[in-house]
Amino acid sequence: MKISLDWLRTLIPTDKPAEEIGKLLTGSGLEVEGIEELESVPGGLRGVVLGTVLTREKHPDADKLSVTTVDVGDGTTRQIVCGAPNVAAGQRVVVALDGAVLHPSEGEPFKIKKSKIRGLASEGMICAEDEIGLGQSHAGIMVLDTDLPNGTPAAEYFGLGSDAVLEIGLTPNRADAASHYGVARELRALLRQPCHLPDISGFHAPATAAAPIRVTLEDAAAAPRYAGLLLENVQVGPSPEWLQRRLRSIGLSPINNVVDVTNFVLHELGQPLHAFDADQISGNQVRVKRAVEGEKFTTLDGTERTLRAEDLVIADANGAPMALAGVFGGKASGVSEATTRVFLESAYFAPAVVRKTGQTHQLKTDASFHFERGTDPNMALIGLKRAALLLQEVAGATVAAPVVDEYPAHIGHTPVRLRLPRVEKLVGQFIAPERIRQILTDLDILIAEEIMSDEVGIMNGQTGSTHNSALNSHNSPQEWILSVPPHKVDVTREADVIEEILRIYGYNHVALRPHNSATYLAQFPNPDPEIIRQNTARLLSGQGFSEIITNSITNSLYFEKEGEQDETLVRLLNFNSAELNVMRPTLLHSGLEVIRHNVNRRQRDLKLYEFGKAYRQKAGGQYEEYNKLVIYLTGNTAAETWQQKSDKSSFHQLAGAVQQVLASLGFPQPTSQPVQHPYLAGGLTLLAQNQPVAQLGAVSTAILKRLDVSQPVWYAELDWDWLMRKYKNALVARELPKFPEVRRDLSLVVDKTVTFDQLQQIARRTEKKLLQQVNVFDVYEGDNLGQGKKSYSVSFLLQDPAQTLTDQAIDSVMNRLIQQFEQQAGALIRK
């Protein structure tokens, strides 16, 4: 939101510089993100002053040039060569001195330098209006009629001032500050200085009218207040310069005087207005009603829109929509150059109704921005009268009928209970009741009732007192009943009021205590899931993986065939795009989109991981969400160099990363079984405590083709919810072994259906004391092994922590292993 300081000063007179005002507003919660200096004329006419032409002679070597001497008030007479035909001695003129940078009305800026023109020195320039950006005329120099002394800055003579524009990062809860008057109210409390509304005392309306426009509220809940005014003799045209300058200062483009006035009042007072061409209002009646489902309506941008039954519209006597209430006007009823009669609307619409209409039709306007956050119903008439007076000034309008004000149910102040001891408890510092009273008064929050300390004790069923003596007096109130005005839409509870007090009192005025404490400490989860997640992220990042964060909303076509619906998908009711219409049931597809984006830009070697949620709808309409950790590998393991070739990413690299994650979470030795995953073409499911905790393998070619990914991708999906529930954080330390380990190898010929995991389990069941590690280092399949056979080359590491292993002990273990492999797996030992 942009706020013009020059405009702001018309509502609260202050000479504070922009930087100081910015600090005050930021400290109170209206963060000023930047301050931009604006000049009414580029360059601000710096280095341009008033002067007097003392003499004028013809240039000896040029018929159209004159040689003048000029006094610019610094005690030095300057010689200036001038080409203007109207220059003469005795004239008061505008002089650009050496070093001044001029910004002409057309062309590029240029700098004035001492120079020689046809052999004679020239120490400046006597200016025409187009040369300093004040007009288009180049017929001659500007001749002034003024008594100001020579040397007076030209900007002062022409009344040119600079303006500062504050860029405020307005949070959604601060609807009360969404205008220049709203910011002025904030400064009133911060500076203890009065602010004022624009003067509307000059507004007068006739008691009756020949053809008034009637207003009918057909949905008072959606439109609690609707005011209107009929204006005649309106001359639509360009706005005066002052009005255009105000709008440009906050980034708006002037359109015409009628539209510009409505925009001006919106940003001055925070009250949205809309102007209808009164001659286009059929039956001289305005109906505020819900739309008819499916009816068509063309908005001001020329777009035909299909309305829904929940849309609130402003319609004519026949029910034909003229505007989407609080959002956008209609093309047919809009103000044009031919308009002479205007019906001006100033209303208060329910925020939820405007928000829903804006979202349905994908429309975001300045009016909807204000209505969605909540406007002040008491500002409707003030804004209407302010606009009428301005239109009388800039468009020659006359008020043709009485003000129409439909306000069936008055929106009153909100009562809020404030306990003064509670202020100290939440703020952490005692604030005197009189200071609190002053702050509340400056914020327009009234104290409707004061309850004394004895009464509070009786009401609370106690006779004790607070620890602070300032609040212990029998004559001092301990509780106030406040009356909060409706423009304070976010102040509805005691805590909200205390926040308002603290904002104005100043966060920086609350001293830090030597030892901070609280009356209640929440129990922190043990272990903390966030810390576990961070540790796991560091583990993967240390292995060269990069974390990604993808959208939880995805395309239903990834999971459905045309004409078929998946009932397990969680669908969005108001989606912005047909490609983002469901909550993702898996993280795979959004990760593949990231891979596709990178591969298409020649970034082919990727190692990625993501923590995220997946969503599903169960039978009966209930929804579930799951936390997952997913890992992706694609491309080469590393960039190719002259020292070594780069290998393709493999399943074993992915499995190693997954097993390291599981080991860090307390599951070092998961078992495995063939994967059964709808999107994987082969792989493994890892089990811990007989529960599948990870699925990993190659993404199927059908999925890659659907996502337009041109290279193979390895994918792992871990059940993060289960891993968090079963997390083991106990560390077991043991002494490093003092005795050497021994390796023995076996080559086992088994059926193709036998997996290495089965062999490993057989080995660990057979020898539990000495066997430390089992590893497969080669797998072979060939015709010489026989049909349906394959060979595993397996290494076994044996170690006794108490003594050196003897050959007899080693042979005993290996013989038992061979026996069990033969009996349980039907293995043939190759020798």
Side-chain angles (χ1 to χ4, degrees), residues 79-146:
Q79 177 175 287
I80 298 177
V81 177
C82 180
N86 64 327
V87 65
Q91 292 174 334
R92 300 300 308 279
V93 293
V94 177
V95 182
L97 303 177
D98 177 39
V101 177
L102 302 186
H103 295 258
S105 299
E106 295 182 2
E108 297 297 321
F110 60 93
K111 187 175 183 179
I112 301 299
K113 299 178 181 178
K114 292 182 180 180
S115 61
K116 286 190 175 183
I117 301 176
R118 295 292 183 95
L120 293 181
S122 183
E123 302 173 286
M125 185 174 80
I126 305 174
C127 303
E129 66 177 34
D130 68 324
E131 292 169 333
I132 56 177
L134 291 180
Q136 301 296 325
S137 175
H138 194 67
I141 61 170
M142 301 177 72
V143 180
L144 310 179
D145 181 11
T146 179

Side-chain angles (χ1 to χ4, degrees), residues 17 131 175-176 237 295 380 412 415 427 481 511 583 589 631 652 655 668 729 766 781 792 821 831:
E131 292 169 333
D176 62 302
E295 69 178 322
V427 171
I481 304 301
M583 304 298 290
H589 297 75
I631 304 173
H652 298 289
N729 60 351
T766 302
E781 295 183 29
Y792 286 109
F821 287 143
K831 301 179 180 178

Side-chain angles (χ1 to χ4, degrees), residues 248-544:
R248 289 195 185 100
S249 70
I250 58 173
L252 297 181
S253 298
I255 299 174
N256 60 52
N257 47 10
V258 176
V259 176
D260 291 350
V261 164
T262 61
N263 285 332
F264 177 86
V265 173
L266 167 62
H267 290 278
E268 181 179 57
L269 302 179
Q271 176 59 48
L273 304 172
H274 186 68
F276 296 96
D277 187 330
D279 292 331
Q280 304 302 319
I281 301 177
S282 177
N284 281 345
Q285 183 182 13
V286 169
R287 297 170 58 191
V288 185
K289 58 186 284 291
R290 297 285 183 168
V292 177
E293 182 71 32
E295 69 178 322
K296 305 296 182 182
F297 173 58
T298 302
T299 46
L300 279 169
D301 57 0
T303 302
E304 184 180 74
R305 304 180 188 275
T306 301
L307 303 185
R308 298 186 180 183
E310 61 263 29
D311 293 333
L312 187 70
V313 297
I314 312 301
D316 60 18
N318 300 322
M322 298 186 296
L324 288 171
V327 181
F328 211 19
K331 186 174 182 180
S333 63
V335 172
S336 66
E337 294 180 358
T339 299
T340 59
R341 298 174 70 241
V342 168
F343 181 73
L344 204 58
E345 166 194 284
S346 180
Y348 173 78
F349 297 117
V353 174
V354 176
R355 187 181 305 116
K356 183 175 290 187
T357 300
Q359 289 179 343
T360 298
H361 299 285
Q362 293 299 294
L363 286 171
K364 292 295 181 184
T365 61
D366 283 345
S368 67
F369 175 88
H370 286 75
F371 279 128
E372 287 176 6
R373 286 157 176 78
T375 58
D376 182 3
N378 296 327
M379 193 62 72
L381 284 186
I382 297 173
L384 188 65
K385 294 176 181 180
R386 171 67 164 158
L389 289 171
L390 289 172
L391 287 173
Q392 287 178 337
E393 176 185 343
V394 305
T398 57
V399 179
V403 172
V404 179
D405 186 17
E406 293 294 325
Y407 197 10
H410 183 77
I411 299 175
H413 285 45
T414 303
V416 177
R417 172 192 180 202
L418 176 66
R419 295 163 293 175
L420 295 183
R422 187 70 173 166
V423 177
E424 180 179 357
K425 191 169 187 178
L426 290 187
V427 171
Q429 182 168 307
F430 174 72
I431 304 176
E434 287 309 309
R435 176 62 175 137
I436 296 175
R437 184 190 302 272
Q438 173 192 324
I439 291 172
L440 294 177
T441 301
D442 290 340
L443 291 174
D444 293 328
I445 298 175
L446 307 178
I447 302 174
E449 183 182 355
E450 299 185 22
I451 303 175
M452 308 308 286
S453 56
D454 288 345
E455 299 175 60
V456 174
I458 295 170
M459 290 171 62
N460 293 336
Q462 60 185 15
T463 57
S465 59
T466 62
H467 68 278
N468 195 301
S469 59
L471 295 177
N472 276 339
S473 169
H474 290 291
N475 295 321
S476 66
Q478 293 237 323
E479 183 176 313
W480 292 343
I481 304 301
L482 306 178
S483 180
V484 181
H487 69 260
K488 287 284 186 184
V489 295
D490 67 323
V491 181
T492 59
R493 305 168 303 163
E494 182 181 51
D496 299 331
V497 173
I498 296 173
E499 182 185 6
E500 292 291 290
I501 295 169
L502 181 56
R503 284 195 312 102
I504 303 304
Y505 180 75
Y507 296 103
N508 293 336
H509 294 157
V510 178
L512 291 178
R513 297 178 178 179
H515 304 287
N516 290 325
S517 61
T519 57
Y520 172 78
L521 287 178
Q523 290 189 357
F524 292 96
N526 185 24
D528 189 336
E530 181 60 24
I531 292 178
I532 300 172
R533 192 195 70 79
Q534 291 175 2
N535 291 339
T536 305
R538 280 194 285 267
L539 172 67
L540 290 170
S541 297
Q543 297 180 46

